[in-house]
Every structure is written in structure tokens, then in C-alpha cells.
Amino acid sequence: MPMLTASIVGRGIKRGHLDIQAHQIRDFTANRQKQVDDYPYGGGHGMVMMAQPLYDCLEYVKENRGNGRVILMSPQGERFTQDTAKRLVKLEHIIIVCGRYEGIDQRFIEKCVDEQISLGDFVITGGEIAAQAVVDATARLIPGVLADEEGFERESHYVQGYLEHPQYTRPGVWMDMPVPDVLLGGNHKEIEEWKRVMGRQL
């Protein structure tokens, strides 16, 4: 998984601030075809992930990595927000289950899943994409992952109702559009006030 070796998450892993392991569900199947899905009872389009391979993988993770809060990435879940990330970062260990196909056997959900999380009301290929977003947003909040703690405390959504203020860089004028004078004046108090006002309220 590229995110485990690149960018902020990759650096955080190298520095020992977090540890992430990905597991292939097909390694926990009981047949030679490595089957992890089957047709849904009652008919319908698509395939459903089977409960047993998911359960066996989860038990392996718990035995080798320890118990943790089990989260299923699911369109039926609660919407993921910055507050969710701030709650998850307080947990020592989380286990994210990535759904695929038309869904997961409901019996696994009822027996094993502690909560369901959704990125929003849209369709993506699989839960891996959503899980990476959750991991990235949460990992940034772990002390030491970012070089400067202020880096996340002043980002969009960290403070409820705040979005990032407009950003500018060189040149000072681009296509006849100048950088706001307040940012060039050197008055830090005025600059901070400008940033606060321009950080739009939701």
C-alpha cells in the first residue's frame, strides 16, 4: 500500500509514531480458489463478502496485534468528520475492515463490528480507499507525525466551523492579481486577524 511508505503517514511510521499493517482477506479462505465472496441469499446483483474469511482474519489480527475497536467502512455508517479523527486518535489500537462488492454478510457485522464509518453519500470501488482517508486524517493528529503540532491545529476543520484562509505565494502579482496588502505589511497582529476573518465560518 503506497501510503504506508510515502508522505506524512510514511514518515510517521518510519519515526515510530504509528504502526499500520494491512492484511489480505484471501489468505484466510478455506478453498483453493481463495474465494471471499458468494451470491446473496434472496437474489440480487453483485456478490457479498463471506463472514468466515473476515472473521478468521480478524481473529488473527487480534491474536497477533491485540484487541482494538473494530471499524467497518460502510455507506451505512456515520459520516466521518474531523471530530471522528480526534476521537479515534485517542485509541491505542483500531482495526479497520474494508468492505467490497455489494457488502458484507450481516452476521459478521453484528458479531464483530463496533462501529461503521462512511466518507459520504457516493459510491467507490472498495473500502480501502475510504480507510486510507480515515488513516491519513487520524495519523496527522498523533504527536510527532507532523513536524509542527500547530500544523494540524490551524488546518481546516480542526476548529469547528473554521475553514482554511486563502493562501498566496510568489510572485506578488500574477495575471494582474496582487497578493492582499495585509500579508505584505509585516504586521503580525493584523495578519492573524485577517486569517481569522477569512477562515470562513461554516
Side-chain angles (χ1 to χ4, degrees):
M1 191 180 295
M3 75 169 297
L4 302 185
T5 58
S7 190
I8 291 170
V9 172
R11 291 198 301 270
I13 292 172
K14 284 184 179 179
R15 293 170 182 165
H17 297 302
L18 70 156
D19 185 24
I20 302 173
Q21 299 290 327
H23 300 273
Q24 171 58 262
I25 300 298
R26 294 187 186 279
D27 294 339
F28 297 88
T29 55
N31 56 39
R32 289 183 297 178
Q33 291 77 25
K34 299 292 185 181
Q35 184 180 1
V36 297
D37 62 328
D38 210 335
Y39 294 104
Y41 280 118
H45 296 289
M47 307 290 277
V48 175
M49 290 188 73
M50 303 161 68
Q52 193 63 48
L54 287 166
Y55 180 80
D56 291 343
C57 181
L58 179 60
E59 288 299 295
Y60 173 85
V61 171
K62 288 181 175 180
E63 289 173 9
N64 291 275
R65 308 284 296 170
N67 288 320
R69 186 162 185 80
V70 180
I71 298 169
L72 171 64
M73 301 309 303
S74 163
Q76 285 77 37
E78 292 291 324
R79 182 75 61 88
F80 183 77
T81 67
Q82 189 69 20
D83 283 341
T84 313
K86 288 191 278 188
R87 173 171 59 83
L88 295 180
V89 79
K90 296 176 183 178
L91 303 176
E92 183 177 351
H93 186 203
I94 62 174
I95 302 169
I96 301 178
V97 180
C98 303
R100 261 189 175 268
Y101 311 112
E102 287 301 300
I104 288 177
D105 191 307
Q106 182 64 27
R107 293 167 293 187
F108 173 83
I109 298 173
E110 293 176 4
K111 183 173 181 62
C112 302
V113 172
D114 296 313
E115 70 174 292
Q116 300 183 56
I117 290 178
S118 169
L119 287 192
D121 298 329
F122 53 89
V123 179
I124 53 179
T125 303
E128 300 88 348
I129 299 169
Q132 289 182 57
V134 170
V135 168
D136 188 275
T138 304
R140 299 169 65 83
L141 306 182
I142 298 174
V145 169
L146 293 182
D148 182 359
E149 209 170 89
E150 193 173 317
F152 68 74
E153 289 181 348
R154 301 186 64 173
E155 286 182 328
S156 298
H157 302 297
Y158 186 81
V159 178
Q160 189 172 10
Y162 177 81
L163 290 177
E164 191 80 10
H165 56 79
Q167 301 280 7
Y168 300 88
T169 188
R170 295 174 181 169
V173 178
W174 178 77
M175 290 192 173
D176 297 325
M177 301 168 68
V179 173
D181 290 337
V182 65
L183 299 180
L184 306 175
N187 187 320
H188 296 293
K189 186 176 180 180
E190 289 183 0
I191 291 173
E192 288 304 313
E193 177 63 16
W194 179 88
K195 289 179 178 180
R196 186 189 67 79
V197 171
M198 296 301 292
R200 301 190 308 272
Q201 296 298 308
L202 296 176

